[in-house]
Amino acid sequence: MHKDSVSPVVPAAASRDTKNQQLNFIVALRAVAAVVIVWHHFALYPPLNDWTRPLLGDVLTWFEVHARSTQVFFVLAGFVLAQTLVTRRWQLGGLLLFLLRRYCRLGLPYLAVIALVLPVYAFARNWVPASVLGSPVSWPQFIAHLFFLQDILGYEALSAGLWFVCINIQLCILFALLICVRDSSLGRHLDVIGLGGWALAAFSLFYANLAPGWDVWAVYFFPYFFMGVIVWRRVHGRQKLEFYAYQALFLLAMLFEWRWRLGVAMVVGALLVWSLESGFAARWPRQAALLWLGRVSYSLFLVHFPVLVFVAALWSHLEWTSPPLATLGLVVAFFTSLALAGIFYRWIEAPSARAARQIGRTWRQSALALADSR
């Protein structure tokens, strides 16, 4: 991606500070989206929700029906990956390194949650409905999870939200392939990211995103992800009108068949553009608690469901099924999820991220040593 030919000279430290402030805004959006998803699942899965309904029925119904925010994560992922990857030159070796690092960054916490889920489900088996826990885990099902293939192969997911990690991995692969084609001899004189991204988004908006059977593949969710890429291209490149054209494509798709999730992606995209271009992203947020919640949002996304299952099983065992006690159970599950997310982030997610960075450094050092030896 080429930058504008005329730009102010910014000291390196100031440039890093601005990027960190913009990243803080994205982290805050993740925090809000993660909390919304947690309460969506709390409102969706029995038995605590059923016991609480006489007291908070309308609130739970709203969270069950309307509180869905995975599109927020997809748009933000597209923006962050574009900011991280597009300005680099890519070859096949770089693609393999990227995939290995993404497996460490996303996959190791995902595997750790699977290890957590299994004993929790064993404890909850007699106290929580089978519709929540699913059938006892089989070896083929477990192995499919190790390679992010459970949905594609038709196995039950071991926890709510694991599908998102699988789709995120697919989107990373798809976007990295577009960049590799761009940097090959085939794409040297073409805007491969723009042409390929627009084609995939249009195919999804008017076909794949309308077919439930496609929701195990990245192309179903690609328009949300590419919204983040489009935002990056507007903010950091010369494609100022492309963002409005892409929003118009979403509007056309919504007229073709109404989908509220497209509207969510449009709003998030517009919010990102406004906040980054107006400078608001550099001013908000400054609250440490909100930034902490955003940092641990992925861990919270992973651990909240086994926590909900454990608390529901414990409450069922203790026969705390009255609406006030069930409501207390949801509150306990939420704050326990926050606490466990903090622990999980420190001991699982952050070390996984460090391992991913170390792999990158080792790869580069090996490449330099090999070049020097020739």
Side-chain angles (χ1 to χ4, degrees), residues 51-266:
W51 301 335
T52 305
R53 220 164 266 284
L55 189 62
L56 297 175
D58 291 341
V59 175
L60 292 178
T61 298
W62 187 90
F63 274 107
E64 180 180 352
V65 175
H66 300 291
R68 304 182 186 185
S69 56
T70 52
Q71 291 76 24
V72 178
F73 283 105
F74 284 129
V75 174
L76 297 181
F79 179 85
V80 171
L81 272 185
Q83 182 166 271
T84 304
L85 304 182
V86 167
T87 56
R88 302 177 184 175
R89 301 296 297 176
W90 281 68
Q91 295 177 342
L92 181 59
L95 175 60
L96 297 176
L97 172 62
F98 171 72
L99 296 180
L100 180 59
R101 293 181 65 185
R102 294 310 288 177
Y103 193 94
C104 284
R105 177 66 182 86
L106 299 178
L108 294 183
Y110 161 97
L111 297 178
V113 160
I114 291 176
L116 174 65
V117 159
L118 297 179
V120 169
Y121 282 12
F123 167 74
R125 185 63 63 181
N126 295 323
W127 306 104
V128 174
S131 60
V132 176
L133 303 180
S135 304
V137 180
S138 66
W139 277 109
Q141 179 188 16
F142 179 76
I143 293 171
H145 276 74
L146 297 183
F147 297 97
F148 310 104
L149 295 174
Q150 64 271 18
D151 295 320
I152 293 173
L153 298 179
Y155 291 107
E156 290 179 311
L158 293 178
S159 181
L162 293 187
W163 68 269
F164 173 83
V165 185
C166 301
I167 294 298
N168 203 315
I169 292 288
Q170 289 185 38
L171 286 168
C172 290
I173 295 172
L174 186 57
F175 189 60
L177 286 173
L178 283 176
I179 298 176
C180 285
V181 173
R182 178 203 66 180
D183 292 342
S184 69
S185 58
L186 295 175
R188 188 170 299 166
H189 304 293
L190 296 173
D191 179 14
V192 173
I193 295 175
L195 294 174
W198 272 83
L200 285 170
F203 170 74
S204 178
L205 288 171
F206 294 97
Y207 180 72
N209 192 258
L210 297 171
W214 280 83
D215 65 1
V216 301
W217 299 102
V219 67
Y220 182 93
F221 303 91
F222 185 80
Y224 320 136
F225 175 88
F226 195 59
M227 177 69 76
V229 178
I230 291 289
V231 170
W232 186 89
R233 285 162 64 91
R234 175 188 170 98
V235 173
H236 294 88
R238 293 175 293 183
Q239 292 85 348
K240 298 298 183 182
L241 297 178
E242 184 183 35
F243 174 76
Y244 298 113
Y246 196 65
Q247 292 277 57
L249 181 68
F250 266 58
L251 282 175
L252 186 60
M254 292 173 71
L255 291 174
F256 183 76
E257 183 167 324
W258 168 258
R259 284 154 284 175
W260 63 266
R261 55 189 183 268
L262 301 187
V264 172
M266 292 177 66

Side-chain angles (χ1 to χ4, degrees), residues 33-57:
V35 171
V36 169
I37 290 175
V38 167
W39 280 101
H40 169 67
H41 288 157
F42 281 13
L44 186 62
Y45 291 101
L48 286 178
N49 66 337
D50 290 337
W51 301 335
T52 305
R53 220 164 266 284
L55 189 62
L56 297 175

Side-chain angles (χ1 to χ4, degrees), residues 6-27:
V6 179
S7 60
V9 177
V10 181
S15 178
R16 285 193 297 270
D17 289 343
T18 300
K19 184 177 289 187
N20 288 338
Q21 289 169 335
Q22 293 175 355
L23 183 61
N24 283 348
F25 179 73
I26 291 173
V27 167

